[in-house]
Amino acid sequence: MGMRKCDGGTLLHDTESRLAEAYSRLSKHRSCWKHMLASLYSNGKKINKQQAAEFWRYNSIPQCFLGTFPSRKRSKRRKHECRIARVIKEKKRLDSREFDRYFQNLWRSFSEDKRTSFTYLDSLWFYWYMKASSKGKVLTWIKRKQIFLKKYVLVPIVCWGHWSLLIFCHLGESFESKARTPCMLLLDSLEMANPRRLEPDIRKFVLDIYRSEGRDENKKLIYKIPFLVPKVPQQSNGEDCGIYVLYFINLFVKEAPEDFSIKDYPYFMNQHWFSPQCMDNFFAELDLFGK
């Protein structure tokens, strides 16, 4: 703490410099008597005790408290939102454990009807499928999911440190169907990273799923399943991809049509689908879904 000697040799706290700093900050606000005083002080205008007393007498109730004296106790919900907001601001890229915790909270928030039409694969299954040593195990796990009985299958993918969302639509339907078109969607918040680089591996993945289920669809037809990459909202930095995938899941489950048809593609999935502020608000609520 700064100290200095006065004429009498007594040590005094250097409050003057601290006051100057505080007044300088306060001077940006001029909605109450405190800020009016601060403005005068920071602009080098002197004010005597009598003038200060007049300010106090006629302006005893400041209009602005700078949040120092709240009118009521801050709610627990508001405290939680502020904490999550700080997490959003400082957040590093979500790891698989964090992602799965948030996803489970989100999944439980959906209605029973939605959970009947949808299913999902673990966020690491595609990554493990890519390793020869665990490919067979992954295909066995997927078989238990009975994905060909579902309208939509959510497949979060983390690859090369980046999250994206693969969605299987109507894989159990006929390839000749026009109302329920079997197709694959890849939603990626970082288009500049070239999401289509995953297409060859995803097509092998799908072919192996069909084969592991003992289905007799022709290989050429399976490889012709439309692979679509809609132009969805893009992240502003390199750390938000996992959060974007969670929000893609949230909105797609809520807005997906009863029957997905290529004719109406891309539906709601476009670059103006949602705003960054909407996504931040969603993430602030995400922990609460599981409470």
Side-chain angles (χ1 to χ4, degrees):
M1 183 178 293
M3 305 283 285
R4 65 181 175 87
K5 286 188 177 182
C6 67
D7 293 340
T10 305
L11 288 175
L12 297 176
H13 293 294
D14 191 0
T15 56
E16 188 172 316
S17 61
R18 287 184 292 160
L19 283 172
E21 182 183 353
Y23 284 151
S24 179
R25 291 198 304 268
L26 290 171
S27 65
K28 297 178 182 178
H29 308 270
R30 294 179 174 81
S31 59
C32 70
W33 66 270
K34 285 184 178 180
H35 303 152
M36 293 166 69
L37 284 173
S39 179
L40 291 171
Y41 189 97
S42 64
N43 288 314
K45 296 182 179 179
K46 295 183 179 180
I47 182 170
N48 59 35
K49 291 183 179 180
Q50 183 178 355
Q51 290 173 317
E54 290 296 315
F55 268 114
W56 179 271
R57 183 178 303 139
Y58 295 108
N59 301 278
S60 58
I61 303 177
Q63 299 175 27
C64 174
F65 291 93
L66 291 179
T68 306
F69 306 99
S71 58
R72 58 187 176 85
K73 186 176 180 181
R74 179 184 266 182
S75 69
K76 291 183 178 179
R77 180 185 180 88
R78 179 58 181 163
K79 286 181 180 178
H80 178 80
E81 289 174 351
C82 290
R83 179 178 64 81
I84 295 297
R86 288 197 300 273
V87 171
I88 293 171
K89 185 177 180 181
E90 302 170 0
K91 193 71 181 167
K92 299 297 183 182
R93 187 180 289 110
L94 290 180
D95 61 31
S96 59
R97 181 179 299 179
E98 291 174 312
F99 181 93
D100 287 339
R101 179 170 63 85
Y102 287 125
F103 175 79
Q104 290 303 323
N105 283 349
L106 178 60
W107 183 255
R108 286 191 292 268
S109 74
F110 297 139
S111 68
E112 188 63 33
D113 287 344
K114 291 294 185 182
R115 286 185 285 179
T116 299
S117 300
F118 284 76
T119 191
Y120 62 89
L121 306 188
D122 186 279
S123 63
L124 288 178
W125 284 4
F126 182 79
Y127 172 79
W128 287 334
Y129 164 82
M130 299 285 286
K131 296 181 176 295
S133 60
S134 53
K135 179 181 294 188
K137 291 181 180 179
V138 171
L139 293 172
T140 298
W141 296 335
I142 293 175
K143 190 174 182 179
R144 296 171 186 163
K145 286 283 188 174
Q146 298 182 311
I147 65 174
F148 291 99
L149 299 179
K150 302 293 183 178
K151 292 180 180 179
Y152 301 104
V153 183
L154 306 170
V155 189
I157 291 177
V158 58
C159 197
W160 303 304
H162 177 63
W163 289 93
S164 56
L165 176 64
L166 175 65
I167 304 175
F168 297 146
C169 305
H170 300 306
L171 286 191
E173 299 293 333
S174 168
F175 289 122
E176 304 300 322
S177 175
K178 294 183 179 180
R180 298 180 176 181
T181 310
C183 66
M184 296 177 280
L185 306 172
L186 185 62
L187 278 56
D188 196 317
S189 61
L190 195 61
E191 187 177 349
M192 62 183 295
N194 185 22
R196 286 193 175 274
R197 73 194 188 284
L198 289 172
E199 182 177 354
D201 291 321
I202 289 174
R203 288 198 176 277
K204 290 178 184 176
F205 182 50
V206 172
L207 177 62
D208 281 343
I209 291 174
Y210 271 87
R211 291 291 178 261
S212 68
E213 293 275 357
R215 299 179 68 94
D216 58 2
E217 282 85 352
N218 183 278
K219 178 180 178 179
K220 290 183 178 179
L221 286 177
I222 294 173
Y223 264 83
K224 287 183 179 180
I225 295 175
F227 183 86
L228 308 171
V229 183
K231 293 186 177 297
V232 293
Q234 298 292 286
Q235 63 194 73
S236 58
N237 61 60
E239 307 295 342
D240 292 342
C241 51
I243 300 172
Y244 269 80
V245 166
L246 288 166
Y247 199 37
F248 289 153
I249 291 171
N250 179 60
L251 291 186
F252 188 87
V253 171
K254 292 179 178 179
E255 300 176 8
E258 187 73 16
D259 299 316
F260 195 98
S261 171
I262 293 292
K263 182 180 67 174
D264 298 317
Y265 172 82
Y267 293 93
F268 43 80
M269 294 171 289
N270 57 59
Q271 58 187 344
H272 304 298
W273 189 7
F274 57 85
S275 69
Q277 183 60 49
C278 290
M279 190 192 68
D280 284 353
N281 292 340
F282 156 77
F283 188 65
E285 296 289 338
L286 195 54
D287 263 356
L288 300 178
F289 288 158
K291 302 300 183 182

